Amino acid sequence: MASIYALLFVLLLSIYRTEALKTLVVNITILETAMEKEAVYLDGSAPAFRFHSGTGSGVQNWLLHLEGGGWCSTVSECLNRTNEPIGSSKKMPLNGSFTGVLSNDPDMNPGYLERNFSGRVGLAAILNCDKFRYFLPIDARVKCICDAGFFINVNTIAGKPEIKELYERVVSLHPIAIAVGDWFYEGSGFQNTDCPYPCGQKFCH
Ligand SMILES: *[C@@H]1O[C@H](CO)[C@@H](O)[C@H](O)[C@H]1NC(C)=O
Ligand SMILES: *[C@@H]1O[C@H](CO)[C@@H](O)[C@H](O)[C@H]1NC(C)=O
Ligand SMILES: *[C@@H]1O[C@H](CO)[C@@H](O)[C@H](O)[C@H]1NC(C)=O
Ligand SMILES: CC(=O)N[C@H]1CO[C@H](CO)[C@@H](O)[C@@H]1O
């Protein structure tokens, strides 16, 4: 009986501890200058990030977190995203909570003080790790952690090739997005397939 009470006590204590954990609230920073470099959200709004500086022994270390879920595979799905934080910085909450691996509470995040520069997300971490490396001092230690992004090309339990179809949609939609971007920013030959002036003005189509 005593051990049951002890267990209950530990359980209650851990519930209390979980609730007592501090939440780190961090404001948004909107990077208007990046728009000159054509780095924009899906809806054309300026890119945004949240930054909280390290402390103590972690002051020189960085943890870069890329938000996952960047794919949209149809025009309507992509359009819908322009109304969500994932597709528009205008829709991002002004402040957001840093929890889990981003938390500054050692109880919630034991590795906090040792954090080093790393990216966490699926494919974006795999595809961009070398690019991040390139921007950093040669002696910086870089780790990229991929916590998602592996898709096995097999049918679902219901017998449907969902992953294959999703990839097909993403791959066929993507060149359209590049073409529209190039056309808008007068970047490449896509404009040459456009109709001539006066129809050639931006947003004319
Ligand atoms: C976050 O934004 C709010 C509202 O604009 C402001 O009152 C607060 O001082 C900001 N916090 C920090 C840490 O900048
Ligand atoms: C887009 O949003 C509308 C309204 O919420 C919803 O009915 C529709 O299913 C969404 N379309 C896609 C492709 O997600
Ligand atoms: C976060 O921002 C909302 C408004 O967007 C505000 O009501 C709330 O007080 C803010 N929270 C903190 C902790 O700053
Ligand atoms: C956990 C880990 O790799 N920590 C390293 C982070 O980077 C600093 C140098 O900036 C190293 O001293 C740590 O060992």
Side-chain angles (χ1 to χ4, degrees):
M1 198 56 165
S3 63
I4 290 176
Y5 279 121
L7 181 66
L8 199 63
F9 177 72
V10 170
L11 277 176
L12 285 174
L13 194 67
S14 56
I15 289 168
Y16 168 76
R17 292 288 307 156
T18 309
E19 284 179 350
L21 292 175
K22 289 166 291 184
T23 304
L24 175 62
V25 175
V26 182
N27 284 354
I28 195 175
T29 302
I30 299 197
L31 208 59
E32 297 286 351
T33 52
M35 293 179 81
E36 291 160 17
K37 296 183 176 172
E38 301 173 13
V40 290
Y41 259 90
L42 194 59
D43 71 336
S45 58
F49 63 88
R50 296 181 195 284
F51 171 75
H52 179 75
S53 62
T55 52
S57 58
V59 78
Q60 299 273 17
N61 300 337
W62 288 73
L63 190 144
L64 187 84
H65 179 268
L66 302 173
E67 195 174 0
W71 285 359
C72 48
S73 66
T74 63
V75 171
S76 64
E77 198 187 328
C78 295
L79 266 177
N80 272 11
R81 284 185 181 211
T82 60
N83 290 315
E84 295 171 15
I86 202 170
S88 172
S89 58
K90 291 177 187 162
K91 306 289 171 183
M92 272 176 86
L94 295 178
N95 52 45
S97 301
F98 276 18
T99 55
V101 75
L102 294 178
S103 168
N104 64 345
D105 186 336
D107 283 347
M108 191 192 276
N109 184 12
Y112 170 65
L113 290 175
E114 290 161 41
R115 59 178 46 176
N116 281 42
F117 192 88
S118 64
R120 260 178 81 94
V121 74
L123 269 186
I126 300 172
L127 298 177
N128 293 304
C129 193
D130 288 345
K131 288 188 205 155
F132 290 142
R133 183 82 199 74
Y134 177 77
F135 288 118
L136 296 168
I138 196 84
D139 57 348
R141 204 167 141 190
V142 180
K143 299 177 197 171
C144 291
I145 305 167
C146 172
D147 65 356
F150 293 103
F151 299 97
I152 302 168
N153 187 18
V154 292
N155 287 356
T156 60
I157 293 170
K160 296 204 172 122
E162 267 177 29
I163 289 297
K164 185 165 176 277
E165 287 171 6
L166 171 68
Y167 265 80
E168 276 167 3
R169 286 197 304 275
V170 169
V171 168
S172 62
L173 187 68
H174 193 63
I176 296 172
I178 293 172
V180 170
D182 280 351
W183 169 74
F184 179 76
Y185 289 109
E186 304 175 358
S188 83
F190 281 106
Q191 273 193 348
N192 298 336
T193 60
D194 196 4
C195 57
Y197 185 84
C199 184
Q201 291 168 357
K202 286 175 183 178
F203 297 122
C204 164
H205 295 250

